Amino acid sequence: MIKSNQSKTLIRFLRYRSSQIGLALVLIYIVVALFAGVIAPYSPIEQHPKDRLQEPNANYWLGTDEFGRDILSRLMHGATNSLRIALISVTLACLLGSTLGMTAGYIGGVFDNATMRVMDLFFAFPAILLALTIVAALGPGAINTILAISVVYTPIFARVARGPVLSLKNMEFVQAAQAIGTGHPRILLRHILPNTVAPIIVQITLALSWAMLTEAGLSFLGLGTIPPAPSWGSMLSESRKMMEIAPWMAVFPGLAIMLGVLGFNMLGDGLRDALDPRLKN
Amino acid sequence: MQRYLTQRLIAFIPTLFGISIVIFIVMRLLPGDAIDAMVGTSFKLTEAQIAALREYFGFDKPLPEQYWIWLTSALRGDFGFSVRSGAPVLPEILARFPLTLELAILAMLIATAIGIPIGVLAAVKRDSYIDIAGRLFALIGLALPNFWMGTLIILVLSVAFGILPNSGDYTDFVKDPIANLKQLLFPALTLGFAFSASIMRTTRSSMLEELRQDYARTARGKGLKEQAVIVGHCLKNALIPIITIIGLETGYLFGGAIIVEEVFALPGIGRFLLNGIAQRDYAIVQGTIIFIAFNFVAINLIADLAYAFANPRIRYD
């Protein structure tokens, strides 16, 4: 029964045009990120002084920057950087947020109230401002960027995970499990979690797209990944000095960010529609 | 209604209190303090001078005491003094705020002016090329990073038209509205573009919902022109979720403004904050962040209340 439901969802998901495009974009992004070291034509930080500021050509498909570094190779390694930061930060936020949210919803009472009020505090900031504040305090760098993104997304996962638990914990199958003496952690993991997975998965894809965007934004402001490590955001920021003579430096990194974000957004939309067809217009 | 209003207003105070604690704690995570940052860059100070400065700025006191001093002075409207310039922070913030506020309002107006018509059109011509184009617009709008869009706009303006939209100076709206709007048009478009995409999505789904209602059929049945049914009947009812999303997301424009101001070199509070971060100026960073967070919470509160007024079916108990 469960299996057939899952395959129905999968079929529905694959039937949507938006899921197909989203999935394709995300797969390309992941493959490039994983195999950047193998498929990139040059090293991302190797300088070719003779080939500075080359337009896109047969040797450098997307051109070179002011140090003669190959933009395509930097973009490919930038994908690795962006995926690593997005994945780690969203995983942290999801684990911490969902655990907090589900436990709070399940236990209820004072613990629930206290946890959710603390989470509410983080909603009192525009997300990018909160991330900026944390990175400003801790200093730039990949690890601090990861921390900042996790802190921003933890409350969101807590909210998403807590909602369904409130109604699930009063359902008969949960009461039955309690009645036969099942421990609370087991009830949460085996009985409640599987029923809250759908909204969490949708949230994960949306969080990944936001994390990519934030990493790029912070790097753009000089507060994220530290150069010369390739990051899409800092490439874009470096391009601004050279814009009039080397516009390709500004075009490609932005395009890479947009396609990555677009991929995760479309994947998220497709998943949401497939998991909850009632929501689809 | 009145009870809801009172509840929301009372809840506002602990929220601000909590925000101030979060900001204070986060800012104290700084490796090294503002004095170190000052010494590191420009001056060579003796140990005694550093200690004197630390004492002067209160960095030698225990944290709770530092927080208390900061909070009580903030309540008196004094957000402390910039470590760099020695000037009080609040007047500096207030001087820059009109620009950021204007940018946010313009962005909201542009987003609404783009988002609602496209959303209505997409819903009315469902599954047509117009609808597909509209949905594509929304997808791209939500994925387009504002710092890239701003960069591209500057690129096109400077390369194709030879205009440099900004060189750091900015004309006050009161002094010269036309020059002011010319300067802010593109930044506001950049800031509002993603917002227009989410307004378009909400408008589309809300209109689709209303167009299939019985009253819409009745209106058509009694011989009203389709345009009157769409604008006079359906759009009117579809507006409630649209107003909600506008209210909820306007606050986020203050976050986006930080980046857009940086891209277009506009001297608003976002840029002030980024400069404060670069110079590790506690007072500026704390003051600006709490100011932005305050406005964000206030706007959300207003949006909630407006929603409660606009939709009498909603009751909060």
Side-chain angles (χ1 to χ4, degrees):
Chain A
M1 183 61 196
I2 290 169
K3 195 151 190 148
S4 82
N5 266 343
Q6 280 171 347
S7 49
K8 263 188 219 155
T9 306
L10 187 67
I11 291 168
R12 256 204 313 271
F13 169 73
L14 290 174
R15 209 175 278 154
Y16 298 135
R17 180 68 48 83
S18 106
S19 328
Q20 294 164 354
I21 300 174
L23 193 63
L25 285 173
V26 169
L27 283 179
I28 294 173
Y29 171 57
I30 292 175
V31 168
V32 170
L34 287 180
F35 300 104
V38 186
I39 51 179
Y42 300 93
S43 142
I45 48 172
E46 188 192 344
Q47 306 188 357
H48 308 95
K50 280 186 197 154
D51 299 332
R52 295 168 55 217
L53 296 173
Q54 298 248 330
E55 280 181 31
N57 58 45
N59 286 334
Y60 303 101
W61 290 4
L62 301 183
T64 59
D65 64 9
E66 76 265 40
F67 301 109
R69 295 176 298 193
D70 178 39
I71 289 179
L72 177 63
S73 305
R74 287 180 68 72
L75 279 184
M76 288 177 159
H77 285 273
T80 316
N81 175 61
S82 150
L83 183 69
R84 186 191 303 135
I85 289 179
L87 267 185
I88 299 177
S89 50
V90 172
T91 308
L92 284 175
C94 177
L95 287 177
L96 185 63
S98 312
T99 311
L100 276 174
M102 281 178 56
T103 323
Y106 185 71
I107 296 176
V110 180
F111 179 71
D112 183 28
N113 232 322
T115 313
M116 295 321 283
R117 287 302 80 75
V118 172
M119 296 288 138
D120 280 350
L121 277 184
F122 292 93
F123 285 103
F125 297 87
I128 184 76
L129 181 70
L130 184 56
L132 203 64
T133 309
I134 295 166
V135 173
L138 298 174
I143 294 179
N144 294 340
T145 306
I146 288 173
L147 277 176
I149 297 174
S150 320
V151 169
V152 172
Y153 249 87
T154 300
I156 297 176
F157 277 107
R159 262 195 193 174
V160 169
R162 176 178 171 269
V165 177
L166 292 179
S167 58
L168 284 167
K169 70 174 178 184
N170 295 321
M171 305 266 274
E172 278 140 359
F173 69 94
V174 174
Q175 287 171 347
Q178 284 165 344
I180 58 169
T182 316
H184 293 307
R186 193 180 159 86
I187 291 181
L188 271 173
L189 281 177
R190 297 297 296 269
H191 300 278
I192 291 183
L193 181 63
N195 288 294
T196 58
V197 158
I200 293 178
I201 290 178
V202 173
Q203 199 58 57
I204 288 176
T205 54
L206 298 177
L208 284 171
S209 94
W210 189 82
M212 282 178 74
L213 210 50
T214 307
E215 188 277 324
L218 290 175
S219 301
F220 179 81
L221 296 175
L223 296 166
T225 309
I226 301 167
S231 155
W232 294 347
S234 52
M235 287 175 73
L236 200 50
S237 146
E238 285 159 17
S239 79
R240 285 159 47 83
K241 296 172 298 207
M242 301 284 150
M243 216 156 54
E244 282 170 62
I245 42 172
W248 57 89
M249 280 176 65
V251 171
F252 297 117
L255 201 60
I257 302 170
M258 193 183 86
L259 290 176
V261 172
L262 191 66
F264 280 110
N265 280 346
M266 293 177 87
L267 189 69
D269 285 353
L271 279 171
R272 190 194 50 215
D273 292 344
L275 289 165
D276 193 351
R278 281 168 302 171
L279 291 178
K280 189 173 160 52
N281 283 310
Chain B
M1 189 66 206
Q2 212 160 15
R3 202 175 129 215
Y4 174 68
L5 199 99
T6 328
Q7 274 175 351
R8 284 304 315 255
L9 284 174
I10 292 173
F12 192 56
I13 296 161
T15 309
L16 288 182
F17 192 62
I19 291 175
S20 72
I21 293 182
V22 171
I23 293 172
F24 184 82
I25 293 174
V26 170
M27 288 316 297
R28 289 308 183 275
L29 298 173
L30 268 169
D33 60 34
I35 308 287
D36 294 335
M38 273 175 86
V39 176
T41 50
S42 37
F43 314 101
K44 231 13 199 167
L45 299 179
T46 63
E47 285 296 316
Q49 281 172 314
I50 294 175
L53 275 175
R54 291 178 65 86
E55 196 188 331
Y56 177 73
F57 287 108
F59 293 145
D60 57 337
K61 298 193 172 71
L63 281 186
E65 199 181 330
Q66 284 188 40
Y67 172 72
W68 180 248
I69 294 171
W70 177 64
L71 182 74
T72 46
S73 38
L75 288 177
R76 287 195 303 266
D78 167 9
F79 281 31
F81 293 86
S82 157
V83 176
R84 291 243 156 187
S85 68
V89 171
L90 188 63
E92 301 256 336
I93 294 176
L94 290 177
R96 287 165 174 82
F97 185 56
L99 169 61
T100 307
L101 185 67
E102 189 192 341
L103 185 62
I105 293 174
L106 271 181
M108 187 195 76
L109 293 177
I110 291 176
T112 314
I114 299 176
I116 294 185
I118 297 184
V120 171
L121 216 60
V124 172
K125 308 261 175 203
R126 192 182 180 181
D127 293 329
S128 69
Y129 283 108
I130 296 177
D131 185 21
I132 293 171
R135 277 150 63 189
L136 204 65
F137 158 80
L139 273 173
I140 291 176
L142 289 174
L144 193 68
N146 51 18
F147 44 89
W148 188 45
M149 183 175 169
T151 307
L152 287 185
I153 287 180
I154 295 175
L155 181 68
V156 170
L157 286 181
S158 62
V159 173
F161 299 100
I163 317 167
L164 270 178
N166 256 291
S167 48
D169 46 321
Y170 150 75
T171 321
D172 216 352
F173 183 78
V174 188
K175 273 190 204 143
D176 186 350
I178 310 257
N180 166 282
L181 287 177
K182 265 189 189 163
Q183 280 178 331
L184 287 189
L185 180 67
F186 289 108
L189 180 67
T190 306
L191 182 58
F193 196 67
F195 192 14
S196 73
S198 61
I199 293 180
M200 180 268 163
R201 277 193 159 185
T202 312
T203 307
R204 179 178 177 274
S205 65
S206 171
M207 275 301 280
L208 282 177
E209 193 62 41
E210 298 301 332
L211 283 169
R212 67 164 87 102
Q213 298 289 328
D214 288 342
Y215 73 78
R217 200 172 20 166
T218 312
R220 283 191 200 105
K222 72 176 183 185
L224 277 188
K225 281 188 185 145
E226 190 61 22
Q227 209 178 341
V229 178
I230 293 165
V231 178
H233 292 249
C234 296
L235 182 60
K236 229 175 173 180
N237 284 304
L239 275 178
I240 291 172
I242 302 172
I243 292 172
T244 315
I245 196 93
I246 293 176
L248 284 178
E249 292 205 8
T250 298
Y252 285 97
L253 292 177
F254 286 111
I258 299 170
I259 293 179
V260 172
E261 283 173 13
E262 177 69 16
V263 173
F264 286 94
L266 290 172
I269 47 175
R271 245 182 139 222
F272 189 55
L273 168 66
L274 291 174
N275 286 338
I277 291 174
Q279 303 180 335
R280 288 214 239 150
D281 202 323
Y282 275 156
I284 289 182
V285 177
Q286 272 177 357
T288 319
I289 291 174
I290 202 161
F291 190 81
I292 299 176
F294 174 85
N295 279 288
F296 181 67
V297 178
I299 284 179
N300 285 348
L301 179 72
I302 295 170
D304 268 12
L305 298 181
Y307 180 53
F309 278 112
N311 189 358
R313 279 174 296 181
I314 305 287
R315 284 278 166 264
Y316 297 83
D317 287 305

